[in-house]
Amino acid sequence: MAQVRKSPEVHDVLIVGSGAAGGMAAWNLTRKGIKVLMLDAGEKFNRGGFWSHVKPWETQKKLDSGQKPPQFFVDNNEQPYHSDPYFYLVRVWGRGGRTNVWGRVALRYGDLDFAAAAHDGWEIDWPIRYKDISPYYDQVEQLIGVCGGNDDQDSLPGSKFHLPPPAPRCGERLLQRAAKSVGISVVSQRKAVVTKEHNGHGPCHYCGACGKGCDVGAFFNSSDYLLEPAFKTGNLRLIDNAVVGRLLVGPDGLANGVQYFDRKTGQEHQVLAKRVIVGAACVDSTRILLNSKSDKYPNGIGNSSDVIGRYLCEQTRFHMYGFAPELMGTRTLNDDGLGGEHIYLPRFNHRGPKRDYLRGFGSQFWNIGAQPGLASWAKQLPGYGAGLKQNIKRHFPALLAMHPYGEVLPYKDNRVVVDPKKTDRYGLPIAKIEYQIRDNEKKMLGDMYDMAEQVMRAAKAEMLPFERGSVDVAGSAIHEHGTVRMGRDAKRSALNGYCQMHDVKNVFVVDGAAFTTASEKNPTLTILALSWRATDYLAEQIRKGEV
Amino acid sequence: MGMSDRRDALKGLAGLTVLPALAQQHQHAEPTPAAAAKPTAKFFSTAEVQTLGDWVELILPRTDTPGARDANVHYAIDALCHRQPAAGKDWRATFGWLTKQKGAPGEVLARIGTETGTPGAAHFKRLRDSTIEQYYATREGLQTELGWNANTYVAEFKGCTHKEHQ
């Protein structure tokens, strides 16, 4: 067995993961003069090699000639997990993590979210309120650039720092109008895309291919927006291909470093640090913490409450499609825009009559208008021959789409565990995900379907068939939260409101795992704000010599 | 947020290193079309691919724009079968079934295109679905037929400009 390579240097702060959470932590600490070592499980993605401008008809030819797009996503054969029932886990190992290809939706949580449990009594309350985090939302939006409207409401706090929103597409205008006619408000989407030059980042050129990575860095990604400035301080050192296995614990019960394995060679390393920040994304962070067993922490570091791994929450989601009659047969426009939707339907079910379920839902609208990838709906049109061809062309500019997202409550037995019987290539237990939606989510789905159908019908859409109650496979929203949740009570939560472990004061968990609830919203903006807030707190603690 | 924190935030913003003017550097030259190499059969025989071309052309024919044969959909299906053994197995069965039917291909499609729950209906579905998938991923299908001309540089996104939709 190869000898473990141990580095004698003791780092001020060690950060695991380079995505939104870890990247923000590194950016904030290094600019304050704190030396940071970051471990990332992959490498920097070469922006020049992104396939953002490879046309659909060129893709296969390039593949046939042996070319490959960037391999953003972790191959589950390399780092397996298992789940029962199936949970779709998307991981990006490499600088910037999932922010290289994220959906860019940047919604603020409000007190409807933070105080949800205080209101309805389901599980524990967030230890923070909007007033605690709103200054950080302000700062994050100014730093990274978020476009959006001036159309906030109680379920969607606004911002005076939004960059100009993009104009809606035709189909989006029609759905906005239709929703309004049935009393539902649809606002400008808020996205971390710079619609005008911002802090040195050039503006979006509306090619619509954000999911392949942005070749000009016009949307927030942790690598360009956080890590590169952090490197320039001279205070950040980053080790690529460092797959973290465990946190190490000293005799005082504090973390004193990390064990990691070189992804290329398998070589085991140990590095030492005075403080450790975990931001490897919810499931991987949880796996690392649960595998960090010791005499002091027999069920994982910081887990005296036995909540780590539990309360995994994601979101329910489905899709409804139709065609706008007044757009059928019109001239095909370039509907790319930002990539994804320009409008958003905020939660509204807290108003009006009491529902027979808790929490709420919103809706997104991507893929509206003339978009490639039409085969999925075109196959549903009848017939063949010239008539079919003409019919597809007539429908092409007219596609309407709704994608509602509903909150999934935190349940104790929706969880991530580590399975000692199944190990990865480094000999460490892999993650097992046990997750299912329950009655509350199923009742909410009924309302979600009613809402989507009501809006589509108000738009007089020619509907594509849908099956009421069907829902995307768990994990599809790629918004895992809650497995290292924050709370006021150390017996029922792992972290305090600053993402600091109750049990182990020099460990912070700053990704979605720290969330107390999921809400119906996309979490990245809140992850960034929480990580900034946590590292402000940490820096102050360091200054005072308290951690 | 305390004042020191606020100062930190502002200092950080001011200190954020300005990246090069990426948008100005960025160019979107249309990629040079690959030499129009004539596709070759990889899974089916050359004669079989030509026959397959007759079938896909019936699904999406040449009108005032190119049809499925013009777009080499038959070769795209052949290449798919070459890459994916499972698709090859399915398509071998479909091709064999179609070519054994009595009557001209147009007559066969007219018959099985209205069936449900029969082997013919399943083979028709495979032929139709595959033709649609492949055709609308080609330049002929997506750009020439549908007028899609996106995934390109746009200085300003104007969105919907129809007066009646405002």
Side-chain angles (χ1 to χ4, degrees):
Chain A
M1 190 171 175
Q3 198 171 11
V4 178
R5 290 191 186 161
K6 297 180 181 179
S7 166
E9 186 179 355
V10 181
H11 299 273
D12 284 347
V13 176
L14 187 153
I15 299 176
V16 182
S18 68
M24 174 55 79
W27 177 83
N28 194 29
L29 293 173
T30 55
R31 75 196 179 98
K32 293 171 187 283
I34 295 169
K35 297 281 186 186
V36 169
L37 174 67
M38 173 173 276
L39 302 180
D40 184 77
E43 298 175 357
K44 185 169 183 176
F45 296 105
N46 172 20
R47 192 187 324 165
F50 290 177
W51 283 22
S52 326
H53 287 271
V54 175
K55 307 285 189 192
W57 52 84
E58 294 164 343
T59 303
Q60 194 56 53
K61 286 177 194 163
K62 285 171 78 81
L63 291 170
D64 289 345
S65 69
Q67 298 177 65
K68 279 186 180 175
Q71 302 298 294
F72 288 115
F73 303 106
V74 174
D75 183 340
N76 292 330
N77 292 316
E78 179 191 344
Q79 184 64 39
Y81 70 98
H82 62 124
S83 53
D84 184 20
Y86 178 67
F87 188 98
Y88 178 59
L89 179 63
V90 175
R91 292 169 291 181
V92 175
W93 288 1
R95 284 193 209 173
R98 294 191 288 203
T99 64
N100 285 285
V101 286
W102 68 305
R104 295 146 282 121
V105 176
L107 308 172
R108 292 185 179 208
Y109 282 30
D111 277 338
L112 197 61
D113 308 303
F114 292 119
H119 174 69
D120 62 33
W122 184 268
E123 274 298 333
I124 65 167
D125 193 17
W126 283 77
I128 59 172
R129 289 292 183 264
Y130 183 69
K131 66 178 173 51
D132 301 311
I133 198 170
S134 65
Y136 288 94
Y137 281 135
D138 288 350
Q139 292 175 171
V140 170
E141 287 164 349
Q142 289 174 83
L143 176 66
I144 69 173
V146 173
C147 66
N150 184 23
D151 42 16
D152 55 299
Q153 43 191 265
D154 61 347
S155 56
L156 185 64
S159 171
K160 58 185 177 184
F161 301 107
H162 281 156
L163 300 175
R169 303 163 177 94
C170 295
E172 291 175 329
R173 281 208 187 280
L174 295 178
L175 282 176
Q176 201 165 23
R177 198 167 67 186
K180 188 176 179 183
S181 75
V182 293
I184 297 173
S185 145
V186 172
V187 302
S188 293
Q189 181 59 293
R190 293 101 194 270
K191 284 200 163 187
V193 180
V194 294
T195 49
K196 64 177 189 181
E197 186 154 338
H198 184 76
N199 288 338
H201 301 289
C204 176
H205 56 268
Y206 307 106
C207 77
C210 314
K212 297 176 183 174
C214 183
D215 55 350
V216 298
F219 66 73
F220 164 75
N221 67 85
S222 174
S223 181
D224 290 333
Y225 285 59
L226 299 173
L227 299 183
E228 290 302 324
F231 281 125
K232 288 189 168 66
T233 66
N235 293 326
L236 176 63
R237 185 183 155 216
L238 188 151
I239 300 177
D240 289 324
N241 294 307
V243 181
V244 171
R246 299 181 170 98
L247 272 59
L248 307 173
V249 176
D252 56 1
L254 295 173
N256 65 3
V258 155
Q259 170 208 48
Y260 75 89
F261 298 86
D262 187 298
R263 191 177 178 186
K264 302 283 188 190
T265 66
Q267 172 67 50
E268 181 181 347
H269 296 256
Q270 289 186 4
V271 283
L272 302 176
K274 295 175 186 168
R275 302 110 193 152
V276 177
I277 295 176
V278 181
C282 181
V283 173
D284 276 339
S285 289
T286 304
R287 175 176 57 85
I288 291 166
L289 296 173
L290 291 175
N291 276 335
S292 302
K293 291 180 166 64
S294 60
D295 291 342
K296 172 83 174 169
Y297 305 113
N299 64 339
I301 189 167
N303 196 18
S304 66
S305 59
D306 188 34
V307 303
I308 294 183
R310 298 185 182 277
Y311 306 107
L312 173 65
C313 6
E314 226 252 345
Q315 286 147 351
T316 56
R317 188 180 73 178
F318 65 86
H319 316 279
M320 191 176 285
Y321 298 97
F323 299 92
E326 56 199 291
L327 295 177
M328 285 195 204
T330 58
R331 186 170 62 87
T332 296
L333 300 176
N334 178 348
D335 281 328
D336 279 350
L338 293 189
E341 69 285 332
H342 295 179
I343 56 174
Y344 179 69
L345 189 157
R347 177 178 171 183
F348 62 88
N349 71 338
H350 55 295
R351 305 181 198 116
K354 187 170 168 55
R355 316 281 167 159
D356 63 349
Y357 58 87
L358 305 179
R359 314 292 167 87
F361 57 88
S363 184
Q364 298 181 28
F365 296 88
W366 67 82
N367 251 7
I368 283 178
Q371 305 285 350
L374 65 149
S376 58
W377 59 256
K379 286 189 283 192
Q380 298 186 55
L381 299 180
Y384 66 94
L388 173 63
K389 197 175 165 191
Q390 186 182 27
N391 204 19
I392 290 172
K393 184 170 185 173
R394 195 169 73 88
H395 282 77
F396 184 57
L399 185 67
L400 303 176
M402 293 186 69
H403 314 282
Y405 282 65
E407 177 170 350
V408 175
L409 290 172
Y411 299 103
K412 191 174 184 181
D413 53 349
N414 271 353
R415 62 190 300 204
V416 177
V417 296
V418 288
D419 186 345
K421 293 178 189 160
K422 295 188 179 176
T423 54
D424 62 16
R425 59 169 59 185
Y426 312 110
L428 297 173
I430 64 172
K432 181 182 180 192
I433 302 171
E434 301 166 352
Y435 179 90
Q436 54 190 328
I437 62 169
R438 319 281 164 107
D439 285 348
N440 193 71
E441 290 73 39
K442 289 172 185 168
K443 285 177 183 168
M444 190 193 298
L445 274 167
D447 245 11
M448 292 162 72
Y449 269 95
D450 285 346
M451 176 278 298
E453 194 172 352
Q454 186 184 22
V455 172
M456 284 287 200
R457 301 264 180 230
K460 298 183 171 52
E462 176 187 305
M463 307 281 287
L464 281 172
F466 62 91
E467 186 183 342
R468 274 188 74 90
S470 71
V471 61
D472 277 357
V473 66
S476 297
I478 320 180
H479 295 157
E480 309 91 33
H481 317 67
T483 48
V484 194
R485 67 184 185 183
M486 59 168 68
R488 297 184 187 90
D489 182 353
K491 290 183 179 150
R492 300 190 69 194
S493 59
L495 309 174
N496 66 20
Y498 293 100
C499 302
Q500 181 183 35
M501 278 192 163
H502 292 302
D503 293 350
V504 190
K505 298 296 181 191
N506 70 340
V507 175
F508 291 70
V509 180
V510 293
D511 55 34
F515 284 37
T516 313
T517 62
S519 99
E520 76 286 359
K521 294 171 185 158
N522 308 51
T524 304
L525 190 74
T526 303
I527 289 172
L528 288 163
L530 286 175
S531 182
W532 191 328
R533 183 171 183 267
T535 46
D536 269 0
Y537 173 79
L538 172 59
E540 186 62 13
Q541 293 279 298
I542 292 172
R543 192 186 66 76
K544 291 179 182 171
E546 292 181 359
V547 64
Chain B
M1 185 170 71
M3 281 307 292
S4 62
D5 297 327
R6 196 179 298 276
R7 275 198 300 275
D8 281 342
L10 294 170
K11 199 164 62 181
L13 289 171
L16 188 64
T17 306
V18 175
L19 295 176
L22 295 168
Q24 290 168 18
Q25 291 180 351
H26 186 68
Q27 294 180 352
H28 281 269
E30 279 294 311
T32 307
K38 193 174 178 187
T40 54
K42 294 175 181 155
F43 177 83
F44 291 106
S45 70
T46 302
E48 286 172 333
V49 171
Q50 291 309 314
T51 302
L52 183 57
D54 295 339
W55 289 97
V56 299
E57 182 68 8
L58 286 168
I59 299 294
L60 293 170
R62 183 189 295 172
T63 52
D64 56 342
T65 60
R69 180 188 280 283
D70 297 319
N72 284 321
V73 165
H74 46 326
Y75 282 101
I77 292 172
D78 175 74
L80 176 76
C81 293
H82 177 68
R83 287 194 304 273
Q84 297 179 11
K89 188 178 172 191
D90 289 343
W91 258 105
R92 176 57 72 190
T94 290
F95 185 80
W97 191 92
L98 289 171
T99 51
K100 278 183 194 157
Q101 301 307 300
K102 290 180 181 169
E107 294 167 357
V108 175
L109 283 198
R111 188 177 77 242
I112 63 177
T114 56
E115 290 178 356
T116 54
T118 64
H123 294 304
F124 174 77
K125 183 175 185 331
R126 179 164 297 121
L127 171 66
R128 185 179 180 279
D129 285 359
S130 296
T131 304
I132 290 170
E133 281 170 13
Q134 299 298 334
Y135 179 72
Y136 290 107
T138 65
R139 186 193 290 267
E140 290 83 356
L142 198 50
Q143 196 172 63
T144 312
E145 159 65 5
L146 295 179
W148 182 80
N149 192 22
N151 186 220
T152 187
Y153 179 87
V154 179
E156 181 190 5
F157 184 79
K158 293 187 177 171
C160 177
T161 54
H162 298 111
K163 282 182 186 168
E164 65 274 23
H165 297 157
Q166 305 307 305

